[in-house]
Amino acid sequence: MAGAVEPYLDSLRRELQSPGPASLSVLLALLVVALTFLLWRLAQGARSTRRAVLLLGLCDAGKTLLFARLLTGRYRDTQTSITDSSAVYRVSNDKGTNVTLIDLPGHESLRLQFLERFKAAARAIVFVVDSVAFQREVKDVAEFLYQVLVDSTVLKNAPALLIACNKQGIDNTLRVTRSAAPTSLDASATGGPAQLGKKGKDFDFSQLPMKVEFVECSARGSKGEEGDADFEDLEKWLAKIA
Amino acid sequence: MLDFFTIFSKGGLVLWCFQGVRGPASAATAPVNALIRSVLLQERGGNNSFTHEALTLKYKLDNQFELVFVVGFQKILTLTYVDKLIDDVHKEFRDKYRNEFQQKGALGILNGTFDFKDDFLRLLREAEESSKVRAPTVMKTFEQSVKSQKTVKCMIETRGEKPKEKVKNKKNKGSKKEGNEAVTASNKTAPGEKQSSAAGDKEELTKDEILQKNREEFFKRHMKAGEKSSKSPKPDAQKEKGKKPRVWDLGNSNAKVLDYSNSTTNGNSEASPMEDFDPDMALRDRNREPGRLYDLEYESDEEAEEEKIIQNASKPSTKKGGLGGMFGMLKGLVGSKSLTRQDMDPVLEKMKDHLIAKNVAAEIAVQLCESVAKKLEGKVMGTFTTVTSTVKQALQEALVQILQPQRRVDVLRDVMDAQRHRRPYVVTFCGVNGVGKSTNLAKISFWLIENGFSVLIAACDTFRAGAVEQLRTHTRRLNALHPPESHGGRTMVQLYEKGYGKDAAGIAMEAISYARNQGFDVVLVDTAGRMQDNAPLMTALAKLIAVNAPDLVLFVGEALVGNEAVDQLVKFNKALADHSMAQTPRLIDGIVLTKFDTIDDKVGAAISMTYITSKPIVFVGTGQTYCDLRSLNAKAVVAALMKA
């Protein structure tokens, strides 16, 4: 075997010592291919590290205002979102890592489309709930949360889930949320194909493959437009998962 | 004059707001939200104005930088300068803050300060002035008119002058009468001259000739009148002789003979023999999960796979699409250019024809294409994307958005809710004749029974022959499939009927109270089919719904219907709204699309119906056995619609 390879090695050595134009072009081509391959790998890799934090919730839950407050600290007037907004957010921990905050529209006809688009890149999900209107909207909240949780991509990636009860300060309904959400999720689960949690037992958030936490916040803040928003818990959680 | 003017991004952040009228600071939010929800999100963006309570809102989209410009003013005012104002503001705002918009992500918009007030006030002033500039036209004085320039001399005819010129001058003044007067005047000044022969003009007739002509015409007319009057009395006389009283075959027998309904007590099966009911015939597919409502299978497996691949590929690289695009037209592909109306028009025309060929109602196809054009105008295309692909993508998104309902109707959850409150859940089925109300009612009751709810069927179709018998047969079959023994001893389905000829609303009310007393979970009310133009029947239906206040009003429509769908739904909704006494009238809550197996891929009726009512399609009927009930799969339907 070695004898068969010898002449090839010799010719290769000769070529390398005095490179002709043909071999140079071959080498250049190989280099370009290798570079493209590396770049492609890097692009894929960047995608796979999932650096996005999604802000989900019903219409009028306060997602866009929360988004604006997190990024600039100032109050902005908002309207119903028709499309998504994304920006890079510098987390306030020692490492100073960046996450991409993505604010998705909450309107019924758009929410599933945008969720489809962004769910693969989600590292964490913040589900914003309007605490004031919660009693009235509990069925819709449960339905949307159910749709998010049974999604196959979400179950596979298991991003950290935070349920942020917005618009606090008017009515303290955190406890109500925590207790009512599982029972309504259970009810909505009867119609759907996938089973959430364990069959036969009542649904509880501990049965999910991901970590779930509850947090209170108020994007408007106690002082309205001038003051800051009360969401230190939210910022701390973001720092933790980044 | 303006109430407010807002500029906000499509992502929801308000960039700048102007309050023209003193009022609460957030008075602009509610109408603008209503605008967004009803127009932009429902793809009704064809014309750019919208009324909400007392305000008219006009808007403009900037698709390049994803902005929306909205101006609101009182409905009673008609301000002509508003359109121009919006265009000017759009141009200036865009140019002034171009840098902020071109930054990647939302940070540019978030951090930028948009101090636009002075520019806006200036533009407003200019617009108002330009509308005032066109003062009302002032009448010209006599000195300014052309007539005063002419001398008296030129108006006098003298012999020997060319008569043609004179007549033509007179004609230019404008009226035939004047011409005639001038003719007679000229005739007087030139007596005896046969100017007709000399000039060759037809109008130059002498008095005698005119008189003779008139006399001839008079005689002709009188001759015709005489003939007519002589003709008319004859046919009347003939009709008189031929009229005879009509005899009806069954006219002499009374109502008793005509009543074919068997006398039975409600809910119990009567003496007639139970026919052999073969369950396998009714349930074609035995190994399906009982109680589960499957999605429409519409070659959905391959389509779903393709769609997943398309979705994943669209984000990272358009190179794959580019290979196909490269072999297309190379010219317009490279570089980023913004879409103009002219580019999109031929493509939109083709898409509109394609939609109409797929049985979407014509006016809806037009409106949809308009709205998509509005959404794409000015948008910057990436490299290697053709106009066709961009328009198709946008149209596909718009169609999926339409089919995804505003409010999901989850019947099972609502029934459980009603169960908790110990009252029956009432569903009413309405629609035109022959769409499949009774058949689909039976299918839905089968599905409900499989999910463990007991059903009472109210036979409020008291007109059509055999309607009650049909429902009785269904009841018997369903009880055979789900005998009381397997459900803890209670009958899962019963029929409440009162025969034919009675008032439907009354029967419905009695059925609901019977269900409440007996503890039934669901009441399904079957009504008679009726045409949307039949005013008395529509009133009767509206009365039934207004009086009984059902939880769910389902409109049953067949998938074969084309442009008729628009008319049916509009008239049904209108009738329900007109005849209801309440502040918020009960309208159609959901749609049942039937006979879906008879259309291959001409699924446009689904789009027409959801677009008109903006209510979801709750069930889809795909056959005549009890298992042929599906729920709508929006992606599959849109895929079938867009398939060439």
Side-chain angles (χ1 to χ4, degrees), chain B residues 164-177:
Chain B
K164 241 188 214 173
E165 243 180 68
K166 276 186 270 164
V167 175
K168 283 224 172 72
N169 268 339
K170 302 303 190 280
K171 273 219 146 189
N172 286 341
K173 296 262 168 63
S175 64
K176 236 197 245 173
K177 190 167 168 231

Side-chain angles (χ1 to χ4, degrees), chain B residues 228-244:
Chain B
K228 269 199 210 145
S229 56
S230 63
K231 272 191 203 152
S232 44
K234 272 200 211 151
D236 281 331
Q238 281 174 355
K239 261 199 196 160
E240 279 295 323
K241 282 186 208 150
K243 196 164 185 179
K244 273 186 281 195

Side-chain angles (χ1 to χ4, degrees), chain B residues 269-288:
Chain B
S269 53
E270 69 294 77
S272 59
M274 187 95 130
E275 79 259 1
D276 300 318
F277 175 50
D278 182 15
D280 287 327
M281 184 186 65
L283 310 170
R284 225 176 277 140
D285 182 13
R286 275 265 138 177
N287 42 330
R288 36 170 273 291

Side-chain angles (χ1 to χ4, degrees), chain B residues 194-265:
Chain B
K194 279 256 167 186
Q195 294 182 339
S196 58
S197 46
D201 271 4
K202 290 201 193 107
E203 302 92 62
E204 299 284 352
L205 296 167
T206 56
K207 253 191 174 171
D208 295 323
E209 285 192 6
I210 296 171
L211 266 174
Q212 199 169 26
K213 252 189 91 184
N214 286 343
R215 228 176 273 143
E216 280 171 20
E217 282 182 45
F218 180 72
F219 276 129
K220 264 191 237 155
R221 251 185 277 133
H222 268 256
M223 290 296 284
K224 273 198 199 146
E227 280 169 21
K228 269 199 210 145
S229 56
S230 63
K231 272 191 203 152
S232 44
K234 272 200 211 151
D236 281 331
Q238 281 174 355
K239 261 199 196 160
E240 279 295 323
K241 282 186 208 150
K243 196 164 185 179
K244 273 186 281 195
R246 193 185 277 241
V247 174
W248 294 96
D249 290 329
L250 296 171
N252 291 324
S253 38
N254 54 3
K256 245 206 157 82
V257 181
L258 292 172
D259 185 16
Y260 290 101
S261 62
N262 280 326
S263 50
T264 59
T265 52

Side-chain angles (χ1 to χ4, degrees), chain A residues 47 59-60 64 67-68 71-72 74 76-83 85-87 103 107-110 113 116 118 139 143 147 187-188 190, chain B residues 8 10-15 29 32-33 36-37 40-41 66 105-107 109-111 311 315-316 397 401 404-406 408 413-414 416-417:
Chain A
R47 242 185 299 130
C59 226
D60 283 340
T64 311
F67 179 74
L71 288 169
T72 61
R74 289 199 307 253
R76 298 295 291 258
D77 278 322
T78 55
Q79 299 283 152
T80 312
S81 316
I82 315 173
T83 181
S85 338
S86 64
D103 165 39
H107 196 266
E108 295 90 357
S109 32
L110 295 172
Q113 269 179 299
E116 286 284 313
F118 289 102
K139 271 198 278 189
E143 190 180 321
Q147 279 172 331
S188 67
T190 52
Chain B
F8 57 95
K10 281 193 184 173
L13 292 162
V14 173
L15 300 177
T29 3
V32 179
N33 271 335
I36 296 174
R37 279 175 214 189
L40 296 175
L41 285 176
E66 313 250 308
L107 279 172
I109 298 177
L110 280 172
N111 291 324
Q311 273 176 0
K315 270 231 125 173
E397 282 172 13
Q401 207 175 301
Q404 227 125 51
Q406 288 256 311
R408 257 171 66 102
R413 221 155 33 125
D414 294 337
M416 283 201 283
D417 231 4

